C-alpha cells in the first residue's frame, strides 16, 4: 500500500541523457556511457536514495549540427527498453522510465514493448512520451520525413490514446485462475482496438495483460501549447523547464487549469521540472563548483557550434577565445529539420546577434565567454545541501512543483552527492520518504489508482 503522509512529499527522478552538452564525459573519473555496469551502479545508488524513478533518454540517431554529424555529441546509448529490462533484474523498487518516440514508432508495437517492461518489472515501468521534428531521425525509418510541430502533437495524442486502449483491452479476469479452466484466456476477454486516421491506423489486440499498476506511468515533456495540452489530457507526470520559482508557479497554475478543462483533478498529475544541482560544503564552494561545471560543459568547439546555428554558416575557422564573427548571418535559412535549435529561437536571429555584439563589446567578452553567458543550461540550484533542501521544501509545500527530474552533470559524483548529502536534509524536513511505501512506480508517485 502507498505510504500516507500529512504534507506534500517531494518526488525525485534522475534523467540519464548520456553523452551530450549536459554531462561532463571528459572528466578522468567519468564512467563509460555504454557499459551496463554504469547504469547498474547509478540505478542502485538512486534506489538507495529512495528515488521514484530512473529515466533513460532516447537515442534514435546521432546528433547533427547544421546538417552534419556533430562528433562531440554522438548519442551512443543502448535502446532504453532493452536497457531497463536488464536493470529490472538487478533492482527491486525504483521506477524504470523509457523515453520513446511517437513520431517514428508504431502504436501497437511500442505499446507491447512497454507493457512487457511493465509486466516483467512488476509494475515499475514508465513511458516518457516525446515527439521528434528533425529529418535526420526520420531518415532512419521507413517513411522518413518529418511532421510539422502541431501535427506531431496530433499524432502523439492519437498514438497515446491507442496505446491506453490496448493496455485496457484485457479484462481483469482474462487469464485462467488454474488448470481446470477450458482455455488460458477466457473467450471474449481480450478486446480488439481499431484506429483509422491519416496519422494513426491500426487493427490490433494486446498480447500481454496489465501489470500490478495496470499500465505504464505516462510522462510527458513540453512547454509549448501543444505539449501542455497533451500532458493535461494524458500524462501522469509532466516535465518542464520552469525551475525558477515564479515561472514554476505560473506553469503549475496553467497546467492545473487545463487539467480541470479535461475533467481531471490536480492530484492526477505530478509536475517534475528538469533541474541541475551543484552542491558544496559552503555557498562559496558551491558557486565555484557551478562555475567549473559550466566551463566544462561549454568548451570552445561547443561554443562555436552554438553560434553556427544562429549565423547559419561554418564558423570553425574562428577562435573561440577571440571576438565574435564580424560577418553577417547567412541570408539563406537552414531547413529547420536539419538544425539543433527550435524554429522559434531562429526567429529574429539578426536582432539577437546585434544584442550579443553589444553585450560582448560592453563587457569585453570572447565567443566562448558570450556563449557561457547566453546559452541555456545554467545550473538550476546551487548551494549547500541545507540551503537547497530549504528551497525545495518551499517549492513543494506551496505546490509550485511536486519534485524534480535531475540531470546529473558528473557521474557518479552528482548522484552520490544528492543521495548522501541532500536526501538526509530533505528527510529531516519531512518532505521526503524514509522508506518506499509501495512496490509500483504509480505508488511511489502517490498517484491515484487507475479508474
Amino acid at each position: 500500500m502507498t505510504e500516507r503522509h500529512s504534507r506534500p512529499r517531494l518526488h525525485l527522478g534522475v534523467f540519464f541523457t548520456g553523452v551530450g552538452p549536459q554531462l561532463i564525459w571528459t572528466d578522468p573519473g567519468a564512467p563509460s556511457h555504454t557499459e551496463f555496469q554504469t547504469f547498474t551502479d547509478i540505478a542502485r545508488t538512486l534506489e538507495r536514495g529512495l528515488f521514484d524513478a530512473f529515466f533513460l533518454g532516447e537515442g534514435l540517431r546521432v546528433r547533427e549540427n547544421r546538417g552534419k554529424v556533430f562528433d562531440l555529441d554522438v548519442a551512443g546509448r543502448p535502446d532504453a527498453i532493452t536497457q531497463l529490462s536488464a536493470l529490472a533484474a538487478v533492482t527491486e523498487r525504483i521506477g524504470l522510465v523509457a523515453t520513446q518516440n511517437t513520431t517514428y514508432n508504431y502504436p501497437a508495437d511500442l505499446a507491447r514493448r512497454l507493457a512487457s517492461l511493465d509486466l516483467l518489472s512488476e509494475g515499475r515501468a514508465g513511458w516518457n512520451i516525446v515527439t521528434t521534428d528533425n529529418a535526420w531521425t526520420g531518415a532512419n525509418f521507413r517513411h522518413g520525413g518529418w511532421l510539422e510541430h502541431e501535427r506531431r502533437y496530433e499524432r502523439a495524442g492519437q498514438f497515446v490514446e491507442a496505446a491506453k486502449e490496448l493496455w485496457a483491452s484485457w479484462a481483469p479476469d482474462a487469464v485462467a485462475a488454474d488448470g481446470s479452466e477450458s482455455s488460458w484466456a477466457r473467450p471474449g476477454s481480450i478486446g480488439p482496438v481499431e484506429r483509422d486516421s491519416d496519422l494513426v491506423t491500426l487493427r490490433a489486440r494486446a498480447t500481454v495483460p496489465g501489470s500490478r499498476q495496470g499500465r505504464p506511468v505516462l510522462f510527458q515533456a513540453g512547454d509549448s501549447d501543444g505539449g501542455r495540452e497533451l500532458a493535461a489530457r494524458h500524462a501522469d507526470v509532466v516535465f518542464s523547464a520552469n525551475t525558477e520559482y515564479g515561472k514554476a508557479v505560473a506553469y503549475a497554475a496553467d497546467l492545473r487549469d487545463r487539467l480541470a478543462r479535461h475533467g481531471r483533478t490536480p492530484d492526477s498529475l505530478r509536475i517534475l521540472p528538469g533541474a541541475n544541482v551543484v552542491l558544496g560544503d559552503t555557498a562559496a564552494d558551491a558557486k565555484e563548483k557551478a562555475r567549473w561545471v559550466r566551463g566544462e560543459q561549454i568548451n570552445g568547439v561547443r561554443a562555436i557550434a552554438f553560434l553556427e546555428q544562429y549565423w547559419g554558416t561554418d564558423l570553425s575557422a574562428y577562435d573561440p577565445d577571440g571576438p565574435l564573427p564580424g560577418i553577417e548571418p547567412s541570408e539563406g535559412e537552414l531547413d529547420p529539420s536539419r538544425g539543433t535549435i527550435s524554429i522559434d529561437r531562429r526567429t529574429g536571429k539578426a536582432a539577437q546577434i546585434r544584442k550579443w555584439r553589444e553585450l560582448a563589446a560592453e563587457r569585453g567578452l570572447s565567443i566562448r565567454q558570450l556563449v557561457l553567458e547566453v546559452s541555456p543550461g545554467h545550473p538550476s540550484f546551487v548551494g549547500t545541501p541545507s540551503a537547497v533542501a530549504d528551497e525545495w521544501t518551499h517549492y513543494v509545500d506551496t505546490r509550485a512543483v511536486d519534485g524534480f527530474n535531475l540531470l546529473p552533470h558528473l557521474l557518479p559524483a552528482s548522484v552520490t552527492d544528492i543521495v548522501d548529502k541532500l536526501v538526509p536534509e530533505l528527510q529531516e524536513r519531512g518532505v521526503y520518504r524514509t522508506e518506499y511505501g509501495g512496490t509500483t512506480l504509480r505508488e511511489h508517485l502517490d498517484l491515484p489508482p487507475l479508474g
Side-chain angles (χ1 to χ4, degrees):
M1 295 294 291
T2 301
E3 174 189 342
R4 298 296 177 185
H5 43 92
S6 59
R7 68 186 299 189
R9 183 165 63 189
L10 186 127
H11 299 275
L12 292 177
V14 156
F15 187 38
F16 186 93
T17 58
V19 175
Q22 183 68 42
L23 199 61
I24 304 171
W25 59 268
T26 53
D27 186 82
S32 165
H33 297 296
T34 55
E35 289 183 7
F36 183 59
Q37 191 63 46
T38 298
F39 297 86
T40 301
D41 291 345
I42 295 169
R44 284 175 169 166
T45 299
L46 296 176
E47 196 166 60
R48 178 168 61 82
L50 306 174
F51 272 56
D52 291 65
F54 174 58
F55 302 71
L56 284 183
E58 180 104 286
L60 291 180
R61 80 288 187 258
V62 293
R63 297 188 182 100
E64 289 190 9
N65 180 54
R66 297 187 57 254
K68 297 179 180 179
V69 171
F70 190 36
D71 294 335
L72 198 61
D73 270 7
V74 171
R77 294 184 298 274
D79 171 70
I81 293 178
T82 304
Q83 187 80 300
L84 293 174
S85 296
L87 286 175
V90 295
T91 56
E92 295 180 356
R93 294 293 187 91
I94 194 164
L96 305 166
V97 184
T99 302
Q100 295 290 299
N101 195 298
T102 61
T103 308
Y104 296 116
N105 277 299
Y106 292 97
D109 175 61
L110 181 56
R112 177 178 183 271
R113 290 187 286 122
L114 288 166
S116 298
L117 174 62
D118 200 30
L119 191 66
L120 295 174
S121 66
E122 299 186 302
R124 292 193 283 142
W127 173 21
N128 181 26
I129 304 161
V130 297
T131 67
T132 297
D133 67 348
N134 53 61
W136 71 90
T137 294
N140 290 354
F141 294 86
R142 176 184 172 192
H143 294 293
W146 63 301
L147 290 172
E148 296 290 345
H149 183 82
E150 290 307 318
R151 294 242 77 190
R152 283 189 284 126
Y153 283 108
E154 287 180 39
R155 174 173 164 82
Q158 295 178 31
F159 193 117
V160 175
E161 287 170 0
K164 289 169 75 174
E165 192 173 348
L166 282 161
W167 292 328
S169 64
W170 280 59
D173 60 348
V175 179
D178 54 50
S180 66
E181 301 286 347
S182 59
S183 60
W184 185 82
R186 180 169 53 81
S189 62
I190 304 171
V193 175
E194 296 189 11
R195 295 271 166 169
D196 191 5
S197 76
D198 65 326
L199 293 175
V200 172
T201 299
L202 64 89
R203 288 168 181 78
R205 292 179 188 269
T207 61
V208 293
S211 71
R212 287 184 182 179
Q213 65 178 358
R215 61 157 172 79
V217 174
L218 301 180
F219 295 73
Q220 200 273 326
D223 278 340
S224 68
D225 185 72
R228 294 184 190 205
E229 277 299 297
L230 181 64
R233 290 202 314 273
H234 296 295
D236 301 306
V237 183
V238 65
F239 304 144
S240 81
N242 300 297
T243 53
E244 188 275 322
Y245 184 76
K247 291 181 179 179
V249 169
Y251 179 84
D254 176 72
L255 200 55
R256 287 165 185 152
D257 283 345
R258 293 173 190 256
L259 283 174
R261 293 200 294 270
H262 289 284
R264 299 180 63 191
T265 66
D267 279 337
S268 67
L269 182 72
R270 296 282 170 258
I271 301 174
L272 274 64
N276 181 276
V277 181
V278 179
L279 300 175
D281 294 332
T282 65
D285 179 43
K287 188 174 180 180
E288 177 58 26
K289 282 186 180 179
R291 186 200 64 75
W292 175 82
V293 167
R294 187 73 176 145
E296 290 295 307
Q297 290 172 336
I298 306 295
N299 59 23
V301 176
R302 200 176 295 284
I304 292 292
F306 178 82
L307 289 193
E308 285 179 338
Q309 298 167 47
Y310 290 87
W311 259 263
T313 191
D314 182 2
L315 301 177
S316 59
Y318 286 84
D319 180 1
D321 294 317
L324 268 63
I327 61 174
E328 294 305 308
S330 171
E331 291 287 336
E333 180 61 79
L334 181 68
D335 177 351
S337 75
R338 308 303 301 191
T340 55
I341 60 172
S342 62
I343 297 171
D344 60 327
R345 282 169 59 197
R346 293 171 177 277
T347 304
K349 66 179 184 178
Q352 182 65 74
I353 289 171
R354 282 197 299 273
K355 290 180 181 178
W356 286 345
R357 282 178 171 154
E358 291 170 3
L359 178 63
E362 178 185 342
R363 296 175 51 182
L365 301 178
S366 67
I367 288 175
R368 183 164 175 266
Q369 288 170 332
L370 175 82
V371 174
L372 281 167
E373 185 80 17
V374 304
S375 64
H378 294 266
S380 314
F381 298 96
V382 178
T384 64
S386 178
V388 173
D390 284 341
E391 191 171 8
W392 283 8
T393 298
H394 176 59
Y395 273 59
V396 74
D397 275 346
T398 57
R399 292 302 303 274
V401 304
D402 295 298
F404 297 97
N405 195 33
L406 305 178
L407 290 81
H409 55 268
L410 186 64
L411 293 175
S414 295
V415 171
T416 54
D417 274 358
I418 291 167
V419 168
D420 294 335
K421 298 176 182 179
L422 182 54
V423 162
E425 295 280 352
L426 295 167
Q427 290 170 329
E428 185 176 303
R429 287 157 178 77
V431 294
Y432 194 76
R433 64 169 62 94
T434 55
E435 61 181 4
Y436 284 113
T439 61
T440 70
L441 178 54
R442 177 166 287 274
E443 289 173 320
H444 299 342
L445 291 161
D446 295 321
L447 290 166
L450 293 172

